[in-house]
Every structure is written in structure tokens, then in C-alpha cells.
Amino acid sequence: MTEAPTIETATPSAPIPDLSASPVHVPGHTLRWTTANVDEGLPGIVTPLTWSLYFPPTEQTMRDCWVDLGVMPSSARRIPSDVDGRFLSVAYGHAIANVDNMGQMAARVPGGSAAMMEEQLFGSVQAGGLPEPRGWTKMRRYPIVAVKFPIALRHAIKALPQLAEETERWWLRRAFTLAEADLSQATAALVAAREMFERGLSVHMPLSMAAQGLMGQVQNLAESAGLQSGGELIKSDEGTAEFELVRDLWRFARDEIGIEDFIRGHGYHGPREGLVDSVVWREDSSMVTALAERYRARGDVEDVDDLVARRRREHDEAVKRLHTGLSPARRKLASALIGFASQVPAWRETGRANILRGVDVARASARRIGEHLADAGILADAGDVFFLTIDELAAGRTNRYAELVARRREDHEAYGRLDLPHVWHGTPRPVVRTADGSTADEARIESLTGLGVSAGVAEGTVRVIRDLDDAEIEDGTVMVCKATDPGWASLFPLAEAVVTDVGSAMSHAAIVCRELGLPCVANTRTGTTDLRDGMYVRVDGTVGTVEILGEAS
């Protein structure tokens, strides 16, 4: 375990606008906050409409989850007015998470600790946090957790497939028909989308909490048997929603299915798909056609069925290596744990698919509302709708819209020039980027260290991808990006390895790379700035290193 001596800070190099009335700037006061992992689902700057979809539903379902698992008392369900009492918030347009509060919850779960949570999240334990709960403070809720946790987990496991079927039918019925909705119908659909989004979260949250614990137990098991990583021991027997996406893209590239069938199956995906204002494949199928062309052009790319067979062999070999280091009794326990943990990828990806369908109906509803308001002269442009909140649109006080949009657009542009530190206390001190997008002088480095989240070693040429719209993957490419979401899934089979700035063993890139058998190093923090297109690198997804073997030409 690495001890980080200080929390990152930064000094702004230009004045920051007055943000007192901004709905996407609600920072904490004294506790530690971070963007780590939160910006995987909400990359970049969130608009007021996107944030109003995610908050309060995400905070509320997280609190409900901790109560239902027995970690918090029922009195803690209500969202506190003090921002430091929350788990999530937003600062300078960036979604942020409360490191200290998350750590306190993790420490109250049997076998968990704040230090373990931070190690999984950051790759190190950050200094300056709240003291680790000990003794009776830590253990007093253990008996309640022991009773309530299995009940909540069984309920979520049972509810997940049923909710997935319901959500898929609802998405097909709503997202493809809202273009004809009147203003009241579109507004009602937007409110309903937030409700469905919250339902998806209510099932996804306890499974995510359980997944985190299971991954920790598998990692401990692997280390006790002398293996470096537990990630190779986790494989879904049935594959995930990501596998189906990649499989169908292959089928489309081979003309086995048409574009309409593909879109009706996966149209809610696309670049920055967690943001309501993004454009997804349902709205622009040319992105899918371009991806299919890349697949056709690379006939040597491993077929998905062959990939599944290879991944199963690698998994079986990893389990055999594990068993050689265990006694017969512990082998039985290990097999049971690994079998149960094999559900983790499906839990995570099915839950994300449910949530993203809710986001997409909100997207379709908002676009239709924007069209109506622009036609009526209330908004100057249909896209202005994304600078209003769901509650403001539902209230229908249209006389205030123009003023709110003008101010928030100005704030949004200012946020886009700011970068936040990795971890900070209270309100972050952002760095203002220069005209070329940099925040500091580039330094020559020889290697990067992060978290090894998908085992294996691969060499290739760096391709830094900052915008999925412009992604180009060629033979021998090491894909380097800040983070990934399901919209990136179609690029993974075209890469030799993946390197991300943020993430953990349970991040999207880690799960997909393990399923596909690709080496992955997550949480390098500076991969997209320290690595440059054309560099030749060796990625070790077992130990978590990226070694630069040659400079960019």
C-alpha cells in the first residue's frame, strides 16, 4: 500500500467567474472530494439538465442503499443540507465524490476499510482524511449488516433481469416516438425518465457495492495464493451487454443484421453517453457505419466467438494456478467465491444499460422540448434546453428561461477551461488551461504507474483519444484515454491494450478488458498528457505499469 504524503492542490492562473447561482457548482467545505471514477460516467462538464437528472436521484439511491444494507440507520435516508454530509456533489461543472464519507461507509462493512476503498479508488491512501473508524465505532453495525446485506443483495439480484426487460421495452416505446410528442407529452416523458433512471439506480447500487466487496475478496484470495492479480479470475459465464454490443457490431459489419436492428438494440450508446446533451447512435447512425468499416478493414481482428473461447481458456488456467497454492478445503471455498463473483460483470453492465436507457429517454424528451420552446421564440436555440433543469422545465415558468440560459452558457464556457486537482479539501482550486489545452510544461518521462486491472503484457503504438467522435484505431494501437463508458466498447477489440487516467478494478475499462482478455492499466492520472501519439510502449496490466520504449516520431 502506498501512502500519499499530500493532497493535490493548484492555483488558478486567471479569475474565476461568480458562481453563487450556478446549479453545477455546489462544492463542499472541509472534507476531501475527488473527481476520480465519477467522471467515468459523467465526463467533462455537466450541463444543468444532466445534473438535475443525476441529482438528487443518485445521492438518494446511494443513501437508501447504505440504509438497506444496514450500514447507516434509517434516519440517514434524507439528503442533508450540508454538502459535506453528502456522497456526491458538483464543482465547476465537474461531478465529484466525497472521499471521506465513502471511506466511513466502507469501514463499517465487515472486512472493509476506508484505506482499502481509497487503495481501490486511487491506487494509494490519500493523506488528510477522517480517522479510520475503530473498535465499537467500526463494528457496532456489523450484526445489522450481517442480517440486512444478504436480503438486499438477493432482492437486487432477483430484480435486475426483470427490470432490464421492462426498461428495454420502455426505451423502445418512448425514445423512438418522442419526435412527434407535443410539449406537455415531452415534459411528462422527461419527468418519467428521471423516475425510471432512479429505479435503475436503486437496483444497480447494491449490486455495485457487493461487486466492490467481492472484487476485494478475490484479490485477497489471489495474493494469498501467490498470484499478482485477481482480475484474471473474474469472468462472466454468459458475457455482458458489452459483449452483445461488440458481437452485433461484427454481425452488422458482415451484413448479417441491418442498421435498424443494430440501433434498436444499442442505439442509446455513443460518445459521452452519460450526458443528456450528447449525441448517441440512435440520433446519428453514421458513427456505427464508420465503426463497422474499421472492423471490415481489419479482417485479422479476433472474432468475438474465438475471443470468448480464448478468454475461457485463460480463465481456467488462472483458476488452476490459484488451486495449486491452496489446500483442498480452501479450493472449495475459492471455487464458490469465484463462481459467485463471475456474476459481477453482468451485474455492472446490465445495470449500466438500464441507467443509460433512462438517460436516452431524457435526451429524446429534452430535444423535443427544446424544439417546441425554440419554435415559440422562448429559447433562441433548441439546444438551450440543456441549460435548464428538469424541475424548471416541469414548472414551465418560461419568462425566466432566456436569462438563466445566457448566464449558464457563460459559466459552462468558463468551466470548460478549468481542470480540478485529483483530491482536495472543501472547494477545489482549479487550474486554468492555456490556449493549447495544457496546464503545465511537458516533462520527459520513462514510465507511468497506475493500477493493474486486467492482466497481461502488450506492446504497441500510443493513440491518445480525447474525443470518441475522432477516434481512429489502427493495428498495434495502445488506446490511451481519460476514461471509458459503454460507448467505447466497440473500439476495445481493435486495441492491443488500454490505459486510462482514472478508474479502478471496477471501472468500465477494467471490466471490459478482463472480459476481452486485453491488458489494462487504470488510474495513471496523467496518461493522456504524458503519453503522446506515436510513442511505442509496453503495457503491463498485471503490475500496473506503462513503459515508454521509444519516443514519438
Side-chain angles (χ1 to χ4, degrees):
M1 184 181 296
T2 304
E3 183 74 23
T6 59
I7 291 180
E8 297 174 30
T9 60
T11 303
S13 56
I16 305 301
D18 177 19
L19 305 171
S20 56
S22 174
V24 290
H25 181 65
V26 189
H29 307 297
T30 60
L31 298 185
R32 294 178 305 157
W33 293 81
T34 183
T35 58
N37 280 26
V38 190
D39 54 4
E40 181 184 35
L42 290 173
I45 310 303
V46 297
T47 62
L49 185 57
T50 291
W51 185 243
S52 68
L53 175 69
Y54 281 80
F55 193 94
T58 307
E59 176 75 22
Q60 188 60 67
T61 54
M62 185 172 291
R63 303 186 79 83
D64 290 342
C65 177
W66 285 123
V67 171
D68 293 342
L69 296 177
V71 180
M72 293 199 312
S74 296
S75 59
R77 284 190 191 273
R78 177 175 292 184
I79 298 175
S81 57
D82 180 3
V83 178
D84 274 346
R86 302 173 185 173
F87 295 108
L88 299 169
S89 195
V90 61
Y92 298 107
H94 294 263
I96 59 176
N98 192 320
V99 181
D100 285 324
N101 283 348
M102 293 295 291
Q104 295 294 301
M105 294 302 101
R108 286 170 170 79
V109 176
S113 73
M116 182 185 300
M117 184 276 295
E118 291 190 27
E119 185 77 18
Q120 292 177 344
L121 190 63
F122 305 115
S124 64
V125 179
Q126 308 295 299
L130 293 176
E132 179 92 25
R134 300 184 184 281
W136 179 243
T137 302
K138 176 181 175 68
M139 300 173 62
R140 63 182 177 179
R141 297 196 66 84
Y142 276 16
I144 302 173
V145 173
V147 172
K148 297 185 73 172
F149 200 119
I151 296 173
L153 182 57
R154 283 198 299 270
H155 175 77
I157 292 173
K158 182 178 179 180
L160 182 63
Q162 180 178 344
L163 181 61
E165 291 182 9
E166 181 183 350
T167 305
E168 183 177 17
R169 290 195 301 269
W170 168 77
W171 172 71
L172 288 168
R173 186 173 66 252
R174 303 301 288 162
F176 292 89
T177 60
L178 279 163
E180 305 301 322
D182 62 26
L183 180 59
S184 62
Q185 291 170 332
T187 303
L190 178 61
V191 173
R194 183 162 63 177
E195 294 171 356
M196 186 63 86
F197 175 86
E198 188 165 1
R199 283 187 62 194
L201 279 172
S202 69
V203 174
H204 182 63
M205 200 73 72
L207 292 176
S208 293
M209 302 292 185
Q212 198 79 20
L214 280 170
M215 285 297 295
Q217 293 297 321
V218 172
Q219 181 62 36
N220 292 339
L221 179 67
E223 291 176 356
S224 69
L227 299 182
Q228 288 183 301
S229 171
E232 56 191 321
L233 297 171
I234 303 297
K235 184 189 179 304
S236 170
D237 291 334
E238 300 178 3
T240 65
E242 305 293 330
F243 253 107
E244 295 308 312
L245 189 160
V246 174
R247 189 190 303 275
D248 282 350
L249 186 57
W250 265 117
R251 294 174 64 202
F252 173 58
R254 293 168 175 166
D255 298 320
E256 295 174 8
I257 61 172
I259 187 64
E260 295 82 5
D261 290 335
F262 183 90
I263 293 300
R264 291 185 70 82
H266 311 284
Y268 55 89
H269 287 308
R272 299 174 300 281
E273 57 198 14
L275 305 179
V276 181
D277 50 297
S278 66
V279 177
V280 294
W281 296 340
R282 175 183 56 78
E283 301 171 296
D284 182 4
S285 62
S286 67
M287 293 185 280
V288 178
T289 304
L291 280 170
E293 286 299 328
R294 291 179 205 160
Y295 273 57
R296 293 189 190 101
R298 292 194 59 187
D300 61 332
V301 175
E302 189 173 23
D303 180 89
V304 173
D305 293 328
D306 293 336
L307 187 152
V308 170
R310 173 175 64 82
R311 184 68 183 91
R312 185 176 294 115
R313 290 194 302 271
E314 292 172 349
H315 172 261
D316 292 343
E317 291 169 2
V319 172
K320 288 179 182 178
R321 292 199 305 273
L322 172 70
H323 283 174
T324 60
L326 300 175
S327 65
R330 292 196 66 198
R331 287 175 193 167
K332 291 184 178 180
L333 292 174
S335 296
L337 175 62
I338 293 170
F340 190 52
S342 69
Q343 301 176 79
V344 165
W347 290 349
R348 296 278 290 184
E349 302 310 329
T350 302
R352 279 177 169 154
N354 291 340
I355 292 166
L356 287 170
R357 289 186 179 107
V359 174
D360 193 40
V361 173
R363 177 182 295 116
S365 305
R367 292 212 197 282
R368 186 57 178 155
I369 293 170
E371 291 170 359
H372 281 297
L373 295 178
D375 289 344
I378 296 170
L379 297 180
D381 181 82
D384 288 345
V385 71
F386 297 111
F387 293 93
L388 300 168
T389 68
I390 294 175
D391 291 335
E392 288 167 347
L393 290 167
R397 298 189 182 94
T398 57
N399 61 311
R400 299 184 61 230
Y401 288 176
E403 176 191 351
L404 292 173
V405 167
R407 184 170 68 244
R408 292 170 184 177
R409 270 194 178 278
E410 187 175 329
D411 290 344
H412 192 79
E413 292 175 5
Y415 299 150
R417 298 190 294 271
L418 305 178
D419 284 332
L420 301 188
H422 192 58
V423 187
W424 65 87
H425 281 105
T427 302
R429 301 172 65 188
V431 170
V432 181
R433 266 184 258 111
T434 59
D436 64 358
S438 65
T439 56
D441 293 334
E442 291 184 351
R444 183 185 180 92
I445 63 167
E446 296 180 353
S447 64
L448 283 175
T449 301
L451 298 177
V453 294
S454 182
V457 178
E459 295 182 5
T461 303
V462 167
R463 176 71 169 91
V464 179
I465 303 175
R466 293 186 174 86
D467 190 336
L468 192 54
D469 292 332
D470 301 323
E472 292 289 343
I473 300 293
E474 299 177 352
D475 288 346
T477 293
V478 170
M479 188 167 71
V480 180
C481 46
K482 185 171 185 180
T484 70
D485 57 37
W488 293 67
S490 52
L491 296 182
F492 282 80
L494 304 177
E496 298 293 326
V498 177
V499 178
T500 67
D501 286 356
V502 298
S504 67
M506 290 309 301
S507 64
H508 174 266
I511 291 173
V512 175
C513 283
R514 286 196 296 269
E515 288 291 294
L516 299 180
L518 292 175
C520 180
V521 176
N523 203 43
T524 62
R525 303 191 189 181
T526 59
T528 56
T529 53
D530 288 340
L531 300 176
R532 297 184 295 278
D533 287 353
M535 283 182 170
Y536 193 73
V537 299
R538 177 183 294 122
V539 179
D540 190 327
T542 304
V543 300
T545 59
V546 182
E547 183 182 357
I548 299 172
L549 304 178
E551 274 296 325
S553 58

